[in-house]
Amino acid sequence: MTGGSPRPGATRGFIRMDPPEHTRLRRMVTRDFMVKRVEALRPTLQKLTDELCDAMERVDRSEHPVDLVKALALPLPSLAISLLLGVPYEDHDTFQRLTGALLSREISEEDRGPARTELLAYIDNLVETKKAAPGDDIISRLITEQYAKGELTHEDLVAFAVLLLVAGHETTANMIGLSALTLMLDRETADRLREDPSLVRGAVEELLRFHSIIRNGPRRAALEDVEVGGQLIRKGEGVIVAVPSANRDEDTFPDAGRLDITRPNAQHHVAFGYGIHQCLGQALARAELQVVITTLLRRFPGMRPAVPVEEIPFRTDMVIYGCHALPVTW
Ligand code: HEM
């Protein structure tokens, strides 16, 4: 199956390409997201998380509730990917607004177009700046190592950066929000994790399986007739893979609707996709989630939602599920 062709006017990131082009481009950044690289980044992730938690602690009681999405869930992955790519975090209002618009299910194509154009123009400008003065970041390295040798066009470079920026913060941000909410509502599991932080790796896998935040993809087009689960998909037909359904498959995950942080095979989930397009940033996402969950449980043992769950604005309108806001107090 193929990743499918983009809509007219879209700049293709390699998520929408087939081999050999996909393989060639993905290989240029594989090492930046390898487990070893990400482990080296863990102290930085811890420092960023601690600083965001310090800021939350400083919030005056009279200003409670605090929106955990704004205070921590979105800034942490956003800071991390900005740092790796060399995108100035001071511009976060701009790029968070634009990536939010791109990922909305409710925005019309006419409104999405200008958001895409504005984000491309922003990154285009950034790439130009880095061409003149490269720094110590992924975009600069792609410029000096690949673009300079003619292995990467300017357009590919811009599409690369857009893909990493969009994929790198919205996804993890929503997993952080949902994970925090889940643990605030399930005190027993939270206590277990607080008492034994070594359970956090398994807990993150189970939370990824349980929430399956990619609700509108991956998407593929059949290159030939193929039968899946007794259903014939004809050559040329499009398929949207239901990740949440696969992750709740009772044959693989018995009692799948229950969150069990010691589930022995939780890591067999497909929350990061499957095959050649499997998430490039999964080691980073895992590390961010592990650090945030452990830190929140340790530093804010009394944290709780400040409104009834029915009043939390869940992202049923977005491609990536989560909460728009998560008012908390402690
Ligand atoms: C909890 C967080 C995350 C989830 C659930 C997630 C999920 C996914 C999924 C399901 C895919 C496959 C899409 C497809 O097959 O069409 C994917 C691909 C991708 N993800 Fe993630 N992702 C997360 C975090 C990240 C982060 C932090 C980055 C950082 C750079 C990232 C970068 C990418 C890229 C570049 C691809 C495309 C890979 C390719 O086409 O070869 N993701 N992600």
Side-chain angles (χ1 to χ4, degrees), residues 212-247:
S212 303
I213 57 168
I214 308 290
R215 298 280 165 98
N216 224 9
R219 301 170 197 197
R220 297 291 186 272
L223 290 175
E224 54 193 55
D225 287 3
V226 56
E227 203 179 296
V228 181
Q231 174 73 45
L232 176 67
I233 301 160
R234 293 192 189 282
K235 179 178 175 177
E237 281 180 345
V239 179
I240 300 177
V241 181
V243 172
S245 166
N247 281 342

Side-chain angles (χ1 to χ4, degrees), residues 7 101-105 107-116:
R7 281 183 291 269
L102 289 185
L103 295 171
S104 171
R105 274 179 179 178
I107 194 171
S108 66
E109 263 314 295
E110 292 88 79
D111 289 337
R112 204 190 306 270
R116 191 181 291 132

